Amino acid sequence: MMRTRPLKVALLGCGVVGSEVARIMTTHADDLTARIGAPVELAGVAVRRPDKVREGIAPELVTTDATALVKRGDIDVVIEVIGGIEPARALITTAFEHGASVVSANKALLAQDGAALHAVAEQHDKDLYYEAAVAGAIPLIRPLRESLAGDKINRVMGIVNGTTNFILDAMDSTGAGYQEALDEATALGYAEADPTADVEGFDAAAKAAILAGISFHTRVRLDDVYREGMTEVTAADFASAKEMGCTIKLLAICERAEDGASVTARVHPAMIPLSHPLASVRGAYNAVFVESDAAGQLMFYGPGAGGSPTASAVLGDLVAVCRNRLNGATGPGESAYAALPVSPMGDVVTRYHISLDVADKPGVLAQVATVFAEHGVSIDTVRQSGKDGEASLVVVTHRASDAALTGTVEALRKLDTVRGVASIMRVEGE
């Protein structure tokens, strides 16, 4: 039987995402009612600038007192799309304490304090859903923690930031340098005026922490994620990648150790073979590649940001939380029973592409090969070119630990015949 009393929703934030959430709640009201089993009513919208005209939102719903809104007691669900750590953390906690469940798109907060927020939600028997926090419209969080709940996930590797993928794709397809590609992304609205969070990997690292925690039933915080930005990637790196039949992507990689005793989470640029599904992800799109014992290999692909795509994920969570509310139940909470240790980056094993500037004279290759051997790093291929006393030496290794490779590079820098290390790039997806 359809319930006639509406479920009341408080919206915190009415920017690009929040305004789309409000619009869809209005334009799709009948469909949402049918899917939930009760009407949903926008009961209040907390904003910083109350005088701004917001189409489709009644002025009497707008308030600058977000705390009072979440404390009302008649609110069933709070949607938080303001971002940042505070006041979002305090508002979400207050919402739970006053009887509301929460839908959030706040990746930074969840990566830093997800465990604490889950604990408060559980204490008050309320839901905390956050599909929109990772990869925009792509259904990812729910498949990982529900559809694959009976499986063992071993690896999650993906492109989870549209800005960086647009920049790297432009560099790959046009031969542009980093700054030129960034300027294009900014002009087209794909990059913020200050792109630091994207290009230095902070955004992707927060998402990696969330994905690793869900995938491995282990608490993984932002501080546990190794992060390396993409500002040093050059056109020369793409030329080298093409010679190997690869391209370059900024990847978030979460994986279980081979012995299953630990996990790692990292974000960095990497070469991946053109044959890998992630290599074909173009423009500002996102994609996440999941490997598990029973399901095998799965890929989730789609728009990873923007008002409408992110609002789609928020509304999906809203429907689920409202259904739970009507049924007197809650959905999945935090699952951290495995409590696996998070290994440092030095323990990560992968392949490497190292480009060296060396003297063009006999014996250089032998010296370089000796250094690799002394540090237990096996060489797969070597390419050398040069003239007039200077040369470029490109070494591709077999799988080695990051610690071993770091020691190798430090020793190489001490050789008189090595003028410099032009670039070091990890090789993934093989």
Side-chain angles (χ1 to χ4, degrees), residues 94-424:
T94 302
F96 290 138
E97 293 170 347
H98 286 78
S101 290
V102 174
V103 172
S104 175
N106 195 331
K107 53 188 173 287
L109 177 58
L110 289 159
Q112 179 172 306
D113 290 318
L117 293 176
H118 273 293
V120 179
E122 183 177 358
Q123 177 187 350
H124 294 280
D125 198 25
K126 296 296 178 286
D127 275 324
L128 173 61
Y129 275 48
Y130 43 91
E131 184 68 64
V134 180
I138 304 172
L140 185 59
I141 300 298
R142 194 171 292 116
L144 288 176
R145 72 177 186 175
E146 297 182 31
S147 303
L148 296 175
D151 205 345
K152 179 183 178 184
I153 297 172
N154 296 310
R155 197 170 201 240
V156 177
M157 180 171 75
I159 299 162
V160 295
N161 183 278
T163 299
T164 56
N165 199 59
F166 180 91
I167 293 169
L168 291 173
D169 185 39
M171 293 176 69
D172 186 27
S173 59
T174 68
Y178 166 76
Q179 189 60 50
E180 184 182 351
L182 173 59
D183 290 343
E184 181 186 5
T186 304
L188 293 173
Y190 290 118
E192 300 286 346
D194 179 2
T196 302
D198 295 322
V199 300
E200 294 294 351
F202 291 102
D203 175 84
K207 295 169 182 176
I210 295 170
L211 292 175
I214 294 170
S215 299
F216 307 131
H217 304 280
T218 292
R219 286 178 179 169
V220 179
R221 299 181 76 250
L222 181 58
D223 292 345
D224 296 321
V225 182
Y226 172 83
R227 178 194 54 79
E228 185 180 318
M230 49 159 278
T231 57
E232 301 301 318
V233 177
T234 66
D237 291 326
F238 274 100
S240 294
K242 287 181 179 179
E243 290 181 5
M244 291 179 58
C246 293
T247 188
I248 299 172
K249 299 291 186 182
L250 185 75
L251 298 178
I253 303 172
C254 314
E255 57 190 349
R256 192 187 300 268
E258 290 185 6
D259 63 4
S262 64
V263 299
T264 58
R266 50 197 166 103
V267 169
H268 54 71
M271 294 182 179
I272 58 172
L274 295 175
S275 58
H276 194 282
L278 290 176
S280 61
V281 178
R282 311 300 298 272
Y285 275 73
N286 285 192
V288 177
F289 198 74
V290 178
E291 300 177 35
S292 68
D293 276 359
Q297 297 180 333
L298 307 168
M299 191 166 92
F300 302 83
Y301 169 85
S308 293
T310 305
S312 171
V314 169
L315 267 295
D317 278 352
L318 177 64
V319 169
V321 169
C322 286
R323 287 172 175 170
N324 292 341
R325 190 91 173 181
L326 290 178
N327 293 326
T330 56
E334 183 191 30
S335 176
Y337 72 90
L340 297 171
V342 182
S343 295
M345 187 62 187
D347 293 347
V348 170
V349 175
T350 189
R351 297 180 67 205
Y352 291 86
H353 176 283
I354 305 102
S355 180
L356 305 171
D357 295 325
V358 299
D360 187 15
K361 62 182 184 180
V364 173
L365 180 56
Q367 286 183 330
V368 169
T370 298
V371 170
F372 276 87
E374 288 174 347
H375 288 81
V377 180
S378 176
I379 294 175
D380 182 16
T381 62
V382 177
R383 298 195 312 275
Q384 185 172 4
S385 61
K387 61 181 180 179
D388 300 328
E390 299 297 329
S392 175
L393 190 66
V394 175
V395 178
V396 180
T397 74
H398 288 292
R399 288 171 61 82
S401 73
D402 188 82
L405 196 281
T406 298
T408 301
V409 172
E410 290 176 354
L412 287 171
R413 294 184 192 275
K414 296 176 181 179
L415 293 178
D416 292 338
T417 51
V418 174
R419 311 296 193 216
V421 179
S423 69
I424 303 170

